[in-house]
Amino acid sequence: DALRRALSQLAGGKVRLVYAAPERLRQPPFLHLLRQAGVNRLVIDEAHCVSVWGHDFRPDYLYIAQARKLLGSPPLLALSATAPPRVRRDIVQRLAVEGAAPMGIYAGGVVRPNLRLSVFYAKNNDDKLQRLLAFCQAQTGSGIVYGGTRARCEELAALLRQQGVDATYYHAGMGDRARIQDAFMAGRTRVVVA
């Protein structure tokens, strides 16, 4: 029902922004609705999926250029935080549409001063837990600790909380993942074990 209402609003010109998976662009009725409504700009997130390995598990990324053409070749913004120069060139080549303005590449550096990956070697599991606890207690910012299983994520989050670290867990078996992610992004939870 929600999808039907959304599509009705789209057809009626009442929608200014549409989020759609690439798979949806393979559906002729959806493309027809988009064409009727008019697309002023097409934005593709995770654009590196049109190149290299991405299309192996998301083959519909390879259809985006054709969908763009069917939509009247609207201006395109293709975003990727992980595309090296070779992949950027491939993205431009695969998304180019005859008659559309040529695409430009605007690339920032890969260094993000707000991100850090830390690795340490531990002698055994107890040493690993002690180092993890000391690390989390010493840091003032937020972070993500990765666990190997859902149960381990829950165990580590509980251990960190017992030791005074504001921590929670996040995994595919949870029903309220959005709440946890929102809390983390808003700074209400400092450490997420995922």
Side-chain angles (χ1 to χ4, degrees), residues 34-65:
L34 285 178
R35 249 193 350 257
Q36 271 185 315
V39 176
N40 295 327
R41 183 165 292 106
L42 183 62
V43 178
I44 302 167
D45 195 17
E46 306 297 346
H48 54 270
C49 288
V50 304
S51 180
V52 193
W53 56 268
H55 55 76
D56 288 342
F57 73 99
R58 298 287 298 273
D60 293 294
Y61 269 89
L62 296 178
Y63 184 75
I64 291 174

Side-chain angles (χ1 to χ4, degrees), residues 178-193:
R179 181 183 58 79
I180 300 297
Q181 182 175 344
D182 290 344
F184 181 69
M185 297 302 291
R188 295 188 306 269
T189 297
R190 196 169 72 79
V191 175
V192 173
V193 185

Side-chain angles (χ1 to χ4, degrees), residues 69-171:
K69 189 173 184 177
L70 292 171
L71 292 171
S73 302
L76 173 70
L77 174 62
L79 303 167
S80 173
T82 60
R86 179 182 53 80
V87 173
R88 292 178 202 151
R89 289 188 299 273
D90 197 29
I91 291 169
V92 169
Q93 186 242 335
R94 289 178 184 257
L95 294 176
V97 172
E98 190 176 319
M103 294 175 63
I105 296 177
Y106 303 93
V110 295
V111 175
R112 305 287 197 283
N114 62 325
L115 298 179
R116 185 175 79 217
L117 175 65
S118 296
V119 177
F120 58 83
Y121 295 95
K123 294 178 240 173
N124 54 42
N125 199 42
D126 287 340
D127 185 34
K128 186 188 300 185
L129 289 175
Q130 290 302 318
R131 287 174 179 257
L132 174 64
L133 180 58
F135 181 82
C136 290
Q137 288 173 329
Q139 299 303 310
T140 57
S142 60
I144 301 172
V145 173
Y146 289 99
T149 66
R150 294 175 185 182
R152 190 64 176 151
C153 292
E154 294 177 20
E155 292 167 9
L156 288 173
L159 172 72
L160 290 170
R161 280 193 308 274
Q162 288 170 0
Q163 298 300 317
V165 175
D166 178 22
T168 191
Y169 59 88
Y170 180 101
H171 57 64

